[in-house]
Structures are given as structure tokens and as C-alpha cells.
Amino acid sequence: MASAPEDPVLQRYFKGHKAAITSVDFSPDGKQLATGSWDTFLMLWSFKPQARAFRYVGHKDVVTSVQFSPLGNLLASASRDRTVRLWIPDKRGKSSEFKAHTAPVRSVDFSADGQFLATASEDKSIKVWNMYRQRFLYSLYRHTHWVRCAKFSPDGRLIVSCSEDKTIKIWDTTNKQCVNNFSDFVGFANFVDFNPSGTCIASAGSDHTVKIWDIRVNKLLQHYQVHSGGVNCVSFHPSGNYLITASSDGTLKILDLLEGRLIYTLQGHTGPVFTVTFSKGGELFTSGGADAQVLLWRTNFDELNCKDVIKRNLKRLHFDSPPHLLDIYPRTPHPQEGKIETVEINPKLDVIDLQTSTPPVVDILSFDSTTTTETTVRTLPDKGEEICGYFLNPSLMSSECSPTTLKKKTEEMSYLPSESQRNIPLAVTDALEHIMEQLNVLTQTVSILEQRLTLTEDKLKDCLENQQRLFNAIQQKS
């Protein structure tokens, strides 16, 4: 059955990555799309017809998260290689590398004003960076397990984070303290984010649930059980009235938060879906998953009433406002058994003339901000080539996609230059990087020792001064 005019439709899909898509983000102007993948590359796609796609080469392991800065002049990426990179999203693709985490980095997020970047890592910490000076500012430590995601609130005053320790924490960026804590006893949140007004947070649960918490009254407002697999990502529509979810059950689902119900199930992917996001205006959304495809959808369903609903709800967008009745339904688990009300959309059945985009790809080799970049145009492999879905969760991998096979296939598909193309052999580069890491550790250790020495000297000075005062007092008495 064909979709109604107001239903979401799949517009086109992009092929170019060689492994699972882990993260997607729209540029602020809505004309480009950035994607990260298990194949270690970032890709930049243009919505213009016949436009080339750029593939940025630099990370040495899985790219876990990508995001444009609010002005669109920078592109941040996180990777399992323990680094964060800032790229200039153009054909030169210069990048600078941040090294402070001691384990894989899981997410990057710019503050709304673009001044700060928050990064979450498996080293159990969240780190905040100054973007103007491109320097590390401070760390947030309270989680007891891997931190999977950290996001700024719309006003930048708070950071929300989720961890495999089964907690969601809210941090005050002014005093660097954890000011709130939501615990879950079943699963952990894979992803968490603020709604556009900053009054609520939504979590994507490994226990197949989607939960919305009101941070003003510290209560669970809505609880959806609509997926049959772990939920990997959520994205709020800019109006705040809809939430889209991506799950390992292979579907995307759109929830109407005002009515508290599931309204659409989208079946475009052929495996787990790892990432989804709305465009800045909400007229488009994009998704990516284990099938290595990036799907671009047109929203449609919000065109008629979005502006009216925003006006009607303006009075509820303040921190001190009490929850509205529409906000707090349903508080109990909401399994959505009444399937008659929901619409299932399968593009394979509904879409006849689907625009497929397999543009020529330009490789941008950018190893650091000082290295000159080289660009070469490469054509994509034939459609008949098999693309193995490398899942984020190793337990989901088939025997064909085992970590060993993954390593071999990644080496085969990699477009990194060979040793003969480099000035320095790979072994020497790795050795130098290892030495640099050791030097960084030594530098930090020396810094800590210096601080302790200074404290000891201050205490010793205080003790000597006290002794002198006591000695003088005894002498005066005698």
C-alpha cells in the first residue's frame, strides 16, 4: 500500500562506506551530510545532483561519532583509536587531533554556541574542550563504567551522560558537579539527549525501551516498549513533539510525544540501525546501520501542524514550568499493542522510483593539521560486491564477520597509503606515536609531582612559621 501524502518517505540512499554506519549528522545549512563508519573513514555527502563525496582518512580505528559545529565550519569525530579529530569540511580536509582519553572515545557533541566540545569515553570520563583555543578544559568523573554518550543542554548549562554502569547523570558545567542521577536496574542507555527546550531527556535503552525523563521534577514521564531489539539512538524533532528511534531490530520508529503513541514504523534497513537524526529544520531525517547504507527520508508528517503546536506550547518551555498533562502520558510501560493506529512503511514496497546516490569519492588524506593533503579520485566497487555488516555489538556478529575477519577485510578495503607512499615507514610511525604517548604520560606525571611538591613545600613553610611563633611566645614568657 502506498504511503499517504503526509507520511514519511524515503528520498534517496547513499552508498560509499564499506562497513556499518555508526553516526550521521546534517550540516547546519541542510545541504550536506556527514557520516562515520566501522571502515575508519568519515564521509561528507552533498545533496546536489552528481556532486562528489569526500572521504576523510586519518583515524586508525572505527569512527564512533561525528558532528558538525553550529556554524558548520568544523566537523568533529570520535574514534576507537582513542582520539578526537576536528576537520575542516572541505576538499582539503585539514584536521587537528586531540589526545587525552586513555580508551576508545564514544561520542562528540558541540555546545549550541560552538565554544565547547564534550567527549565521552570508555575510560569512564567525560572531557570538555575549548574550541577557540582548541585545548582541554576539564574532566567529569563519577561514572563507574564505560561512558557511551554525553550531550550539552540547549543553553549549555548542563551535560547529560549515559554509561554502562546503568546510570544517566546530569552535570552542571559551571561547578563541574553531578547534580542529578537517574538509575535503571534492567539495562543501560546506549544514547541520551535533551529535548529542544532543555526540560526533558530521552534515553535509548539496551533493554529495548525508550524513556523520557523530566529533569525539573526528576521523574520518568514516558516509557515506550515498541522495539524488539536494543535501541541505539534517538533524535528529537526540532518542535520537540516527535521522537525518532533507531534499533537493532532493523527498524526506525516515530513517536508522537504529545499523544504518547507510536505513529510510524520504517523498514528501510536490512540489519540493525545504529544512528538516526533530524535535520535542523526537521523536514528531513537520515539513518545508518549495519547494512553500510545511509538513508535520507523526508518527514512530511509535521508540515501542517508543527508551527501551530510550537505556538501552543511556548508557555511550557521554561525550566520552572510544571509538567503539562500531555507531557506525562504514559508514565507506565507503553507496549503499543494497538497496531491499528500505527502506520508501517516499507520503501521496498512503497517506493518505485528511488533516487540512488553512488557518487565518485575523493579521498582526503589528512594525518594532522600541518600535513599537506593529497586527493585522489576513486570509483566505488561494483554493486555486486558483498558488504559485510559489522555490528557495534560483537555478540551480534556472524562467523563471517568475526573480529579477525573484520580486521582482514578492513585492511583489504582500506585506502590508506602504503608504506612506499609515505616518507616514514609505518613501523617507525607507530613507534614514534608510542613514544609520544609515553612522553605525554611522563609530562602529566611530572606535573602532578610538581603540584604535590609545591603543596608539601607550602605545608613545611607553615609548620616552620608555626614553630617560630611558638618559640617566640616561649621566649617572651621566660
Side-chain angles (χ1 to χ4, degrees), residues 244-466:
I244 190 164
T245 62
S247 168
S248 292
D249 65 11
T251 67
L252 300 162
K253 291 183 186 281
I254 298 172
L255 306 171
D256 184 326
L257 302 181
L258 295 183
E259 294 186 18
R261 69 184 184 94
L262 171 68
I263 54 175
Y264 291 108
T265 298
L266 310 176
Q267 300 176 342
H269 289 279
T270 57
V273 191
F274 295 134
T275 179
V276 66
T277 188
F278 277 108
S279 62
K280 193 175 180 182
E283 67 281 357
L284 298 170
F285 61 93
T286 184
S287 58
D291 57 8
Q293 293 187 113
V294 180
L295 306 189
L296 181 68
W297 308 75
R298 181 159 291 279
T299 308
N300 292 334
F301 59 80
D302 71 315
E303 287 179 356
L304 298 174
N305 60 1
C306 177
K307 290 180 181 177
D308 294 334
V309 173
I310 291 173
K311 285 178 184 176
R312 195 171 74 219
N313 293 321
L314 275 176
K315 60 181 180 292
R316 304 199 277 126
L317 302 186
H318 303 289
F319 264 88
D320 54 354
S321 301
H324 191 277
L325 283 176
L326 291 175
D327 286 338
I328 56 176
Y329 172 82
R331 186 174 291 175
T332 54
H334 196 53
Q336 283 298 339
E337 291 172 1
K339 293 183 180 177
I340 302 170
E341 296 179 350
T342 69
V343 178
E344 290 205 13
I345 297 173
N346 189 337
K348 290 178 183 176
L349 303 176
D350 299 338
V351 180
I352 301 169
D353 299 319
L354 182 63
Q355 186 180 356
T356 308
S357 183
T358 53
V361 177
V362 178
D363 279 3
I364 314 291
L365 311 181
S366 181
F367 291 94
D368 56 50
S369 55
T370 56
T371 308
T372 54
T373 59
E374 299 172 24
T375 58
T376 53
V377 180
R378 299 180 187 272
T379 53
L380 292 170
D382 295 332
K383 289 182 181 177
E385 258 190 49
E386 288 186 8
I387 296 176
C388 183
Y390 302 123
F391 302 156
L392 287 176
N393 186 343
S395 63
L396 296 174
M397 288 186 183
S398 65
S399 57
E400 293 177 0
C401 302
S402 64
T404 312
T405 315
L406 168 65
K407 188 175 179 184
K408 288 178 184 175
K409 292 205 174 189
T410 307
E411 286 171 359
E412 288 169 9
M413 72 179 76
S414 176
Y415 293 117
L416 289 170
S418 63
E419 288 187 17
S420 61
Q421 289 174 290
R422 293 184 176 183
N423 294 329
I424 305 171
L426 185 62
V428 176
T429 307
D430 291 342
L432 287 171
E433 284 187 0
H434 182 69
I435 291 166
M436 287 302 295
E437 285 177 7
Q438 295 297 319
L439 284 173
N440 286 338
V441 172
L442 285 171
T443 305
Q444 290 173 7
T445 307
V446 169
S447 176
I448 293 166
L449 288 172
E450 284 177 348
Q451 290 174 8
R452 289 182 177 177
L453 186 60
T454 305
L455 287 170
T456 307
E457 287 174 347
D458 290 343
K459 285 182 180 179
L460 186 60
K461 190 177 178 182
D462 289 341
C463 287
L464 290 171
E465 287 175 354
N466 288 335

Side-chain angles (χ1 to χ4, degrees), residues 153 155 157-158 197-199 215-216 316-322:
S153 61
D155 61 8
R157 292 194 297 134
L158 302 171
S197 66
T199 58
I215 63 173
R216 299 163 295 184
R316 304 199 277 126
L317 302 186
H318 303 289
F319 264 88
D320 54 354
S321 301

